Amino acid sequence: MPQLGFGVWQVTDEEATTAVAKAIEVGYRSIDTAMIYKNEKGVGEAIKNSSVPREDLFITTKVWNSDQGYENTLRAFDESLERLGLDYVDLYLVHWPTPQFDEYVDTYKALEKLYHDGKVKAIGVCNFEIEHLERLLKECEVVPVLNQIECHPYLSQKELKEYCASHNIFVEAWSPLEQGGEVLQNEEIKLMANAHKKSPAQVILRWHIQNNTIVIPKSVTPSRIEENFNVFDFELSGDEMAQIDNLNKNRRRGKHPNEMNFR
């Protein structure tokens, strides 16, 4: 799985086709979508029209909260596959644990079946806290390959990252740029950007990459799609990394996973 991928949250079906086509043209090979984004069809169109072989692309999608449960998940996966127009996906994720409904273990067991049946290359989760991961590790067979979580300089997720690393679970950051929020105006980050002749967004993406975090920045603007990909020709110093680490405020843009129980 490429460490830098392309996200399509809050992108319409029509926009997704154009944006993903541009991303693939720029060099992205990992595309992250989900049933609830309602753009799997648009993503699939871009994949179908691309000259890049399917085996060179890494496609992720997710089962939504309302489709949790063993049988529901199997059905939801088939529907996602049909919308994408694919024979398999590379990574299938449980979108939220929704602990109030207590179905995430059965949901994950459905993912294990899909994995054993060869319909997905890998399985994992999104937005799982340590308590949810501990339960999966006790009750299921396949260790999640990845936990996709909200993560940016104002929510560094140090404890959760350390737990995942100790169990060989990769961490992937959604909203890696804090949804284009206040962090992009941070004076320390702007100074680093000027020093490296890069944008604040590129500096933050580089911070993620040097922290061994997988990132999926989203944009529908062609110039930003290119800019976000251009982060492999410079390196942040140890001091710069520490400066960004110290910006943590434990501040979320999204809901805490234990509160995200709507369907």
Side-chain angles (χ1 to χ4, degrees):
M1 181 181 191
Q3 192 177 2
L4 175 60
F6 186 70
V8 293
W9 179 52
Q10 293 182 324
V11 177
T12 67
D13 217 18
E14 296 76 21
E15 286 179 313
T17 303
T18 306
V20 171
K22 176 63 178 177
I24 293 172
E25 177 192 316
V26 165
Y28 293 86
R29 292 296 177 263
S30 175
I31 311 296
D32 179 275
T33 184
M35 174 274 187
I36 197 63
Y37 300 169
K38 302 194 184 305
N39 57 23
E40 288 173 316
K41 190 174 179 184
V43 169
E45 280 295 310
I47 295 166
K48 184 177 74 174
N49 297 334
S50 169
S51 60
V52 175
R54 168 67 184 96
E55 59 270 21
D56 291 344
L57 296 172
F58 193 99
I59 309 302
T60 301
T61 192
K62 313 175 190 80
V63 57
W64 181 240
N65 304 346
S66 56
D67 291 321
Q68 285 207 31
Y70 189 85
E71 295 298 336
N72 284 345
T73 297
L74 296 178
R75 173 187 51 75
F77 174 79
D78 287 339
E79 291 170 357
S80 282
L81 207 60
E82 185 176 346
R83 284 188 293 270
L84 286 162
L86 300 177
D87 297 325
Y88 69 94
V89 297
D90 298 274
L91 179 61
Y92 198 44
L93 304 175
V94 183
H95 209 145
W96 291 88
T98 59
Q100 176 185 314
F101 297 100
D102 195 24
E103 290 183 323
Y104 64 85
V105 171
D106 284 343
T107 301
Y108 192 78
K109 286 181 177 178
L111 267 61
E112 290 183 314
K113 175 172 171 53
L114 293 168
Y115 172 71
H116 290 311
D117 289 349
K119 293 183 176 180
V120 299
K121 301 289 187 183
I123 56 175
V125 294
C126 300
N127 305 299
F128 273 48
E129 295 290 294
I130 291 172
E131 63 194 279
H132 311 130
L133 291 169
E134 284 181 334
R135 190 166 165 210
L136 280 193
L137 294 174
K138 284 178 189 168
E139 299 185 36
C140 299
E141 298 173 8
V142 180
V143 176
V145 73
L146 177 147
N147 187 16
Q148 185 185 117
I149 57 175
E150 181 180 355
C151 182
H152 45 74
Y154 288 167
L155 182 69
S156 61
Q157 300 272 27
K158 187 171 184 287
E159 184 184 3
L160 182 52
K161 280 182 173 179
E162 287 174 352
Y163 178 87
C164 287
S166 71
H167 291 85
N168 296 316
I169 300 169
F170 287 97
V171 169
E172 182 175 41
W174 63 260
S175 289
L177 303 173
E178 202 210 5
Q179 299 175 29
E182 181 190 318
V183 73
L184 292 175
Q185 304 304 320
N186 180 275
E187 289 302 324
E188 291 176 78
I189 288 175
K190 284 163 78 173
L191 283 172
M192 291 178 213
N194 289 335
H196 290 282
K197 295 182 171 55
K198 291 289 183 179
S199 70
Q202 288 171 314
V203 167
I204 293 169
L205 292 174
R206 186 69 207 178
W207 170 76
H208 283 293
I209 286 165
Q210 288 180 221
N211 271 331
N212 297 318
T213 302
I214 299 165
V215 279
I216 45 170
K218 160 247 165 180
S219 180
V220 295
T221 307
S223 60
R224 285 204 182 135
I225 292 172
E226 290 188 37
E227 178 187 292
N228 290 342
F229 194 72
N230 187 20
V231 293
F232 295 103
D233 58 351
F234 76 107
E235 190 168 320
L236 298 174
S237 69
D239 285 346
E240 288 172 324
M241 290 292 291
Q243 269 185 276
I244 300 176
D245 287 342
N246 289 334
L247 296 177
N248 180 53
K249 302 173 187 281
N250 288 323
R251 191 173 81 188
R252 297 178 183 272
R253 292 297 296 261
K255 282 186 173 289
H256 189 284
N258 282 330
E259 298 168 0
M260 180 63 173
N261 285 299
F262 67 83
R263 295 183 158 185

